[in-house]
Amino acid sequence: MPSYTAPTKDMQFVLHDLLNVSQSDIPGYADLEPDFTSAVLEEAGKITSEVLAPLNVVGDKEGCVLENGVVRVPTGFQEAFDQVRDGGWTGLDMPEEYGGQNMPYVMGIAVGEMFSAANQAFTMYQGLTHGAASAILAHGTDAQKDTYLPKMVSCEWTGTMNLTEPHCGTDLGLMRTKAVPQDDGSYKLSGQKIFISAGEHEMSSNIIHLVLAKIPGGPDGIKGVSLFIVPKFIVNEDGTPGARNGVSCGALEEKMGIHGNSTCVMNYDEATGYLLGDEHKGMRAMFTMMNEARIGVGMQGLTQAEAAYQNAVIYAKDRLQGRDVTGVKNPDGPADPLIVHPDIRRNLMDQKSFIEGARAFIMWSSVMIDQAHRSGDKDADGLVSLLTPVIKGFLTDEGYDMTVQAQQVYGGHGYIEEWGMSQFTRDARIAMIYEGANGVQALDLVGRKLAQDGGKHVMAFFDLVKNFIKENADNEALAKDFLEPLKAASKDLQAAGMYFMQNGMKNPNNALSGSYDFMHLFGHVCLGLMWAQMAKAAQKALDAGTEDKEFYETKITTGRFYMARRLPATALHLARINTGADTVMSLDAANF
């Protein structure tokens, strides 16, 4: 059975060596001293390694079962959910007034990574609840917050998001679910939603569905969509679950992966719902949840890659196959371990350099989210908005690829279910699709985010890279291996943006045909920036005479690999972008 060990040491490096969180003036960050964050991470690491990881295979093999409208979750999930809930992990970064611990979002992200790496399907139950609670926190009335948030923060009640219908996915303006106003101010919702993660189960005493629907007589298309709170059980005046609402699970989806999560077809039959936010402004309210979810899904690309990589390393060190061409390394055995071979090393270095770069990228972005929310920094909010499709799209594409590479280390055993490696690949695959398929993320990045606020935020990113290179120009330890590759990659990104400006107005397809390559180009530059900054932080620790010399030297060596072997991909993406739309769009639809 695969194992998982929480990478707390690397997280501490990112928090304190790279991000210097306790030195930040963001409210609440002064409390993030190394001893405090270490205690939180180590405790989370125990529950993920000892409780959640062993259930990952159980959830995959058993899946969920629908019996007479009731969903049974895999063996051990209920007990584990109770343990997570009792430990207060579900409300780590939520407001104290609703029962949370009010820690910064960056700590929620760090702990969330461990939970998702240990058991992605399980973690989605509380993860979606957190997103739904965030939407109510941002857009709900005081009465709605008081009614739902204390129970959702504690996960006594769980939550979902209901967008997709059988005939519409990305184009939500086509939805048919309707919400008819009632005299008491409530609404009656009727319709069907599909692909609803954690839509039905009995691990919580109530499920609070956030449902997109149209109020009759409203504007056509997406402008006529509103968001509603639809509880599984109507909440009594005393706050307890009451009568069963008109919402039910009609079927469970049979999926490629995340079998331990109940992905449901949800039927709404004049279910009582309550407007969340303003009429016909449902997408604005839902995007509070969707943007949080997209960062969480981007993290799933990292987490499945991390879990797969850990096991691939163990296998590569244990499995004896062939001899090192430069000389025998295991003279007492019949063969040398796999890890001596250059192609296995390349494979593992691809994984390791992606994982550590991606972790830094997500945690750096989460600090900006804290800066935006806790300090009211609109520039930080704008930069995170720009980077969100990169986080979601690039990290899930690359993360999935890394699970495949980890599987490859095992050879034929990677294809055999007994070893458990295929689960990481199957579970990672959905992350490229849900919360906005990655092609849509690329279109959002190029079609909307680049021009947002007059291009202010992408220019701020370019300045961030340029200023880092300029400020460290005299740093000989960084110059050749880190600054020069970063500068070249950044120039590729700017050249791609310039191509869109010069050619996209004449023919929008010139920009949209290159959007996927641009998303990946942008992602590589982001990880290149992270690696250059991590190399600087590691060199600083070495210069200061750290006792953990091996860790910091390993960090720099891993960074050199990324800059030399992974970052040059930006040139390929730029070359593709520069070909424009002709080769993509010239074939008639009938000829496919």
Side-chain angles (χ1 to χ4, degrees), residues 287-348:
F287 262 108
T288 298
M289 184 173 187
M290 287 174 68
N291 283 334
E292 178 179 312
R294 284 172 177 172
I295 292 172
V297 170
M299 185 171 68
Q300 288 177 348
L302 158 64
T303 63
Q304 298 314 292
E306 168 71 41
Y309 165 74
Q310 288 190 14
N311 289 279
V313 169
I314 294 170
Y315 188 85
K317 290 180 178 180
D318 288 346
R319 175 76 167 177
L320 302 182
Q321 291 284 283
R323 288 296 189 187
D324 187 338
V325 295
T326 64
V328 173
K329 295 295 187 291
N330 180 34
D332 296 329
D336 290 331
L338 278 173
I339 202 164
V340 306
H341 303 302
D343 193 61
I344 295 293
R345 290 290 186 95
R346 172 205 55 78
N347 186 320
L348 293 174

Side-chain angles (χ1 to χ4, degrees), residues 48-207:
T48 55
S49 299
E50 297 171 6
V51 178
L52 301 189
L55 292 175
N56 199 37
V57 172
V58 176
D60 187 54
K61 292 189 181 304
E62 290 188 12
C64 296
V65 178
L66 178 63
E67 298 176 340
N68 300 318
V70 176
V71 172
R72 309 294 183 192
V73 297
T75 303
F77 270 43
Q78 178 70 67
E79 293 77 9
F81 198 70
D82 291 342
Q83 195 168 338
V84 168
R85 186 165 43 201
D86 292 346
W89 295 107
T90 60
L92 201 69
D93 58 347
M94 297 299 281
E96 288 180 279
E97 62 185 300
Y98 300 114
Q101 299 182 48
N102 201 36
M103 288 188 198
Y105 182 72
V106 69
M107 291 302 295
I109 282 289
V111 170
E113 181 197 322
M114 298 185 208
F115 276 71
S116 181
N119 196 323
Q120 178 178 331
F122 175 92
T123 301
M124 289 170 65
Y125 289 98
Q126 66 261 31
L128 287 157
T129 305
H130 188 286
S134 294
I136 294 172
L137 181 65
H139 301 282
T141 65
D142 288 342
Q144 288 172 337
K145 293 176 189 177
D146 292 341
T147 298
Y148 299 105
L149 289 184
K151 301 289 180 64
M152 293 178 75
V153 167
S154 68
C155 269
E156 183 178 336
W157 298 350
T158 54
T160 70
M161 58 192 295
N162 288 236
L163 290 81
T164 307
E165 298 182 7
H167 59 282
C168 74
T170 301
D171 191 354
L172 293 171
L174 298 176
M175 72 175 56
R176 296 172 185 158
T177 301
K178 63 180 181 179
V180 179
Q182 305 297 298
D183 292 339
D184 64 357
S186 67
Y187 293 77
K188 291 294 185 184
L189 276 77
S190 298
Q192 187 180 77
K193 299 289 185 177
I194 62 172
F195 306 154
I196 309 306
S197 301
E200 173 61 35
H201 58 87
E202 292 198 307
M203 293 195 297
S204 61
S205 58
N206 205 350
I207 301 175

Side-chain angles (χ1 to χ4, degrees), residues 518-535:
F518 186 82
M519 180 178 72
H520 275 253
L521 201 169
F522 207 150
H524 277 297
V525 174
C526 288
L527 262 62
L529 176 62
M530 292 299 101
W531 271 116
Q533 292 179 339
M534 285 192 285

Side-chain angles (χ1 to χ4, degrees), residues 13 16-17 20 475 477 535-550 552-553 556:
F13 167 79
H16 300 289
D17 292 82
N20 296 307
N475 189 330
K536 179 182 177 181
Q539 189 61 53
K540 181 180 178 182
L542 289 169
D543 292 343
T546 176
E547 294 181 1
D548 200 352
K549 187 178 178 183
E550 186 177 31
Y552 291 100
E553 288 179 343
I556 292 172

Side-chain angles (χ1 to χ4, degrees), residues 135-455:
I136 294 172
L137 181 65
H139 301 282
T141 65
D142 288 342
Q144 288 172 337
K145 293 176 189 177
D146 292 341
T147 298
Y148 299 105
L149 289 184
K151 301 289 180 64
M152 293 178 75
V153 167
S154 68
C155 269
E156 183 178 336
W157 298 350
T158 54
T160 70
M161 58 192 295
N162 288 236
L163 290 81
T164 307
E165 298 182 7
H167 59 282
C168 74
T170 301
D171 191 354
L172 293 171
L174 298 176
M175 72 175 56
R176 296 172 185 158
T177 301
K178 63 180 181 179
V180 179
Q182 305 297 298
D183 292 339
D184 64 357
S186 67
Y187 293 77
K188 291 294 185 184
L189 276 77
S190 298
Q192 187 180 77
K193 299 289 185 177
I194 62 172
F195 306 154
I196 309 306
S197 301
E200 173 61 35
H201 58 87
E202 292 198 307
M203 293 195 297
S204 61
S205 58
N206 205 350
I207 301 175
I208 311 304
H209 302 286
L210 297 192
V211 185
L212 285 177
K214 289 186 173 182
I215 300 171
D220 292 335
I222 199 68
K223 293 182 179 178
V225 172
S226 302
L227 183 61
F228 300 88
I229 299 172
V230 185
K232 175 181 174 180
F233 295 101
I234 302 295
V235 180
N236 295 323
E237 289 189 8
D238 64 359
T240 59
R244 178 69 188 251
N245 205 353
V247 53
S248 62
C249 174
L252 282 178
E253 305 286 4
E254 293 188 24
K255 311 186 296 293
M256 176 180 176
I258 54 169
H259 296 153
N261 195 269
S262 55
T263 306
C264 303
V265 175
M266 300 301 298
N267 296 320
Y268 292 86
D269 184 12
E270 294 198 337
T272 298
Y274 310 95
L275 184 67
L276 179 60
D278 299 326
E279 282 190 2
H280 316 312
K281 303 292 184 184
M283 289 308 298
R284 183 173 65 183
M286 182 61 89
F287 262 108
T288 298
M289 184 173 187
M290 287 174 68
N291 283 334
E292 178 179 312
R294 284 172 177 172
I295 292 172
V297 170
M299 185 171 68
Q300 288 177 348
L302 158 64
T303 63
Q304 298 314 292
E306 168 71 41
Y309 165 74
Q310 288 190 14
N311 289 279
V313 169
I314 294 170
Y315 188 85
K317 290 180 178 180
D318 288 346
R319 175 76 167 177
L320 302 182
Q321 291 284 283
R323 288 296 189 187
D324 187 338
V325 295
T326 64
V328 173
K329 295 295 187 291
N330 180 34
D332 296 329
D336 290 331
L338 278 173
I339 202 164
V340 306
H341 303 302
D343 193 61
I344 295 293
R345 290 290 186 95
R346 172 205 55 78
N347 186 320
L348 293 174
M349 287 297 286
D350 277 350
Q351 297 174 59
K352 181 176 173 61
S353 64
F354 163 74
I355 289 162
E356 293 180 16
R359 176 174 297 121
F361 182 30
I362 287 183
M363 292 177 75
W364 171 62
S365 300
S366 66
V367 168
M368 284 192 289
I369 291 174
D370 279 327
Q371 194 171 333
H373 293 171
R374 289 175 172 248
S375 301
D377 189 330
K378 292 184 178 179
D379 289 339
D381 190 52
L383 188 52
V384 169
S385 178
L386 169 71
L387 295 176
T388 295
V390 182
I391 294 169
K392 197 282 181 183
F394 177 70
L395 296 189
T396 57
D397 276 353
E398 291 286 301
Y400 172 79
D401 285 348
M402 296 308 157
T403 66
V404 172
Q405 293 203 178
Q407 205 177 11
Q408 192 75 9
V409 171
Y410 282 69
H413 291 300
Y415 198 67
I416 302 299
E417 291 295 337
E418 176 188 352
W419 289 84
M421 293 304 289
S422 79
Q423 183 185 352
F424 300 124
T425 302
R426 289 185 286 103
D427 286 356
R429 185 64 184 89
I430 186 58
M432 301 160 71
I433 300 172
Y434 61 14
E435 303 307 337
N438 286 356
V440 176
Q441 299 299 324
L443 296 179
D444 177 49
L445 174 64
V446 171
R448 293 180 62 245
K449 298 298 175 63
L450 287 184
Q452 191 173 11
D453 295 329

